[in-house]
Amino acid sequence: MKKQWIILVAIVMLAILAIFQTSKPNKEELSKVKHIAPQISLTGLDGKIYTLEDLNGKPVVVNFWASWCGPCEDEAPELVRLYEKYSEKVEIYAVNVTTSDSVKGAIAFAEKYGFEFPVLLDIEGTVSEKYRIQSFPTTYFINGEGVIVEKVIGLLSPRDLERKSKQLIR
Amino acid sequence: MPEILQFGPFMIKLDWVLIGISGMAGYFVIKRINKGSTFGELPVLDRLMNSFMIVFFVWKFSPLLFSPSILWTNPLSLITTAGSFAGLWIGVMVATLYMIISLRRLKIPVLFLADLLALGFVTTILVYNMLGWQYGSATSLPWGISIEDPLFKYHPINVYLLVIAAPVFIQLWKQRSKIGSGSMLVSLLTYFGMGLMLISFFKPKITMLLGLSSQQIMYLLMMISGFIITMILSRFKHHEQKIIRERGEELYDADRVLSDEASDRI
């Protein structure tokens, strides 16, 4: 019985330590969860330059896509729906990996699905290289402090896309 | 190491391959322990595999549960869409129900399977952490490891996990003769849970609830369930001992009455 009380005290102490544990994100800019997201500076289809600093603490969903990718077509209407619902609280950067696509294709795709959010063109492939993009779609969920909270390779279900985006708002 | 392995037009996440390899190691340990047990002849492992398949298929096709319209609007997207988090939980619940029914039919105690799974789980964790680096929060300690820039060093979380999982594995392996008593499950939940919580202090934290990360909440629940199960098991054991003692006394009394009667007759 004495042993059980020692275990209980240890559990309580660990829980208290965990509650008061201060944690800072890893400062090295890497495309890994719990790291500061690598810098983005890309021109959008509207001619403006977009960066992560421009967001001033607003969380962002960075979606890497290409117009020929089937799952990206499935995901596009969901991104549009998400933006309609949460555009005031969460930004969406749809990064077209133009090195594997074409500007023409990107424009046609964005028009077809009615993208209202910034569509960025990664013409030189620098950003997709920094984010280690190997397949489409790949989505990063970045919180207001610029920390990558989650990375998803492949198509997300509409329910999970909304849930993960809502988690950024808290 | 690349995050994705590509074989022609097919791609698979490296992490899934590593989880598969470690899971197989866990399965072989379970198989070996089960073979030497009282229930070795019964199809426990078949049922276990079935329940893993249930979890996988319910998870994979869970988008259909929440939006059935996919079936007539875009059925092919079911192949490319990952299952949802809620789908995973539904899958786990269905598989648990299936396993409970199967165990009842086979007349196998739940604690037997729980102990088996405890050993399999620790083996899986042990092998998985041998297969690749896992990085924690930044450190200036000499054993810190770098990812890209050698100026930044991080806690080698997989090494810490090996340090915690190895003694737990040895302890569970030593307890294998007591399989079915629940002691292996309790050791896993309590001591391994404590180890995991301790390691979480060396990882960057994304707070989810009351200052705890989602992983820390899970570890806390692990430890609390371990403690509760210990209390229940010790109560049960205490109660059983009391019954045995009372029965012993009753038998002793009956025996005395009988011997008194016998001596009276003589």
Side-chain angles (χ1 to χ4, degrees):
Chain A
M1 202 65 183
K2 196 183 167 190
K3 191 182 159 193
Q4 283 161 6
W5 286 112
I6 294 170
I7 288 171
L8 185 65
V9 170
I11 293 172
V12 172
M13 278 176 71
L14 281 168
I16 292 170
L17 282 172
I19 289 167
F20 291 103
Q21 177 203 357
T22 52
S23 182
K24 289 172 192 164
N26 290 330
K27 285 177 184 168
E28 189 179 5
E29 283 183 15
L30 288 172
S31 61
K32 283 183 175 288
V33 171
K34 295 173 190 170
H35 276 261
I36 297 281
Q39 292 301 311
I40 290 175
S41 181
L42 291 172
T43 311
L45 280 180
D46 55 3
K48 283 186 198 165
I49 291 175
Y50 290 90
T51 66
L52 291 179
E53 287 98 76
D54 294 342
L55 296 167
N56 293 321
K58 191 178 181 184
V60 61
V61 175
V62 182
N63 180 261
F64 289 86
W65 61 280
S67 62
W68 47 262
C69 140
C72 301
E73 285 193 68
D74 294 334
E75 198 167 59
E78 299 309 327
L79 288 170
V80 171
R81 243 190 300 273
L82 184 79
Y83 198 65
E84 276 169 8
K85 214 169 167 184
Y86 299 104
S87 61
E88 281 180 19
K89 291 171 181 169
V90 180
E91 188 55 89
I92 296 177
Y93 279 179
V95 181
N96 174 262
V97 184
T98 326
T99 41
S100 313
D101 202 355
S102 65
V103 177
K104 218 173 160 182
I107 294 170
F109 191 93
E111 276 174 5
K112 183 181 172 188
Y113 291 100
F115 283 179
E116 295 288 327
F117 40 79
V119 178
L120 320 184
L121 300 171
D122 190 14
I123 293 169
E124 286 167 13
T126 46
V127 172
S128 44
E129 200 184 313
K130 273 194 227 171
Y131 279 80
R132 304 268 163 125
I133 304 302
Q134 285 181 279
S135 69
F136 304 117
T138 297
T139 312
Y140 285 87
F141 294 84
I142 301 169
N143 70 13
E145 290 155 25
V147 180
I148 298 173
V149 175
E150 201 152 351
K151 173 186 180 177
V152 179
I153 298 171
L155 181 58
L156 262 170
S157 68
R159 203 181 157 90
D160 274 358
L161 180 66
E162 187 170 344
R163 187 178 61 83
K164 287 175 199 290
S165 306
K166 270 164 82 178
Q167 274 176 357
L168 293 176
I169 301 168
R170 281 191 289 114
Chain B
M1 257 201 275
E3 272 182 89
I4 291 172
L5 296 177
Q6 197 157 3
F7 309 97
F10 301 104
M11 283 192 282
I12 187 161
K13 283 184 197 169
L14 175 70
D15 212 32
W16 285 24
V17 177
L18 300 183
I19 291 171
I21 294 168
S22 351
M24 270 163 71
Y27 177 78
F28 283 119
V29 169
I30 287 180
K31 199 175 173 182
R32 190 171 162 189
I33 299 294
N34 181 50
K35 215 174 177 182
S37 73
T38 336
F39 308 105
E41 298 298 313
L42 297 171
V44 192
L45 295 187
D46 292 345
R47 302 290 191 275
L48 201 60
M49 287 308 286
N50 288 351
S51 43
F52 281 124
M53 296 300 274
I54 290 172
V55 175
F56 176 76
F57 282 111
V58 173
W59 167 77
K60 182 65 192 160
F61 295 108
S62 57
L64 208 57
L65 293 172
F66 304 108
S67 33
S69 57
I70 296 173
L71 207 58
W72 54 87
T73 53
N74 193 4
L76 277 178
S77 71
L78 270 176
I79 301 166
T80 47
T81 311
S84 66
F85 185 69
L88 180 71
W89 279 107
I90 295 171
V92 169
M93 282 193 286
V94 174
T96 310
L97 198 71
Y98 165 80
M99 211 56 221
I100 290 171
I101 294 168
S102 301
L103 289 176
R104 277 205 179 162
R105 278 191 189 155
L106 295 170
K107 289 179 182 159
I108 296 173
V110 177
L111 281 179
F112 173 80
L113 183 76
D115 280 349
L116 261 188
L117 284 175
L119 192 61
F121 179 72
V122 175
T123 313
T124 306
I125 298 282
L126 204 64
V127 176
Y128 179 77
N129 284 289
M130 283 177 191
L131 299 175
W133 291 111
Q134 277 187 57
Y135 307 90
S137 50
T139 180
S140 53
L141 290 166
W143 57 82
I145 49 168
S146 303
I147 304 174
E148 280 179 10
D149 189 344
L151 288 174
F152 293 95
K153 288 194 169 180
Y154 303 95
H155 285 287
I157 293 297
N158 64 309
V159 178
Y160 298 171
L161 271 162
L162 285 174
V163 171
I164 297 284
V168 175
F169 175 80
I170 294 167
Q171 193 193 355
L172 296 193
W173 187 259
K174 279 182 182 170
Q175 287 176 336
R176 68 187 188 280
S177 56
K178 290 183 199 165
I179 194 162
S181 65
S183 58
M184 290 160 93
L185 174 73
V186 165
S187 295
L188 172 89
L189 293 174
T190 317
Y191 302 118
F192 197 54
M194 281 181 179
L196 290 173
M197 184 63 107
L198 208 63
I199 292 171
S200 76
F201 299 153
F202 304 106
K203 286 184 193 174
K205 184 169 80 170
I206 294 170
T207 307
M208 194 187 176
L209 190 74
L210 301 166
L212 299 169
S213 68
S214 55
Q215 284 181 335
Q216 286 175 331
I217 293 169
M218 203 171 72
Y219 304 151
L220 189 62
L221 289 176
M222 254 176 99
M223 292 186 289
I224 293 171
S225 354
F227 181 76
I228 293 170
I229 294 170
T230 316
M231 296 298 272
I232 294 169
L233 288 177
S234 67
R235 280 266 169 94
F236 188 70
K237 210 173 165 183
H238 185 73
H239 184 68
E240 243 182 5
Q241 279 170 349
K242 203 178 154 189
I243 290 172
I244 291 168
R245 221 172 25 243
E246 281 173 3
R247 279 251 174 103
E249 278 168 13
E250 277 171 20
L251 283 170
Y252 177 74
D253 290 342
D255 194 39
R256 232 173 56 182
V257 170
L258 279 172
S259 59
D260 284 350
E261 280 177 6
S263 56
D264 284 348
R265 269 185 214 151
I266 293 163

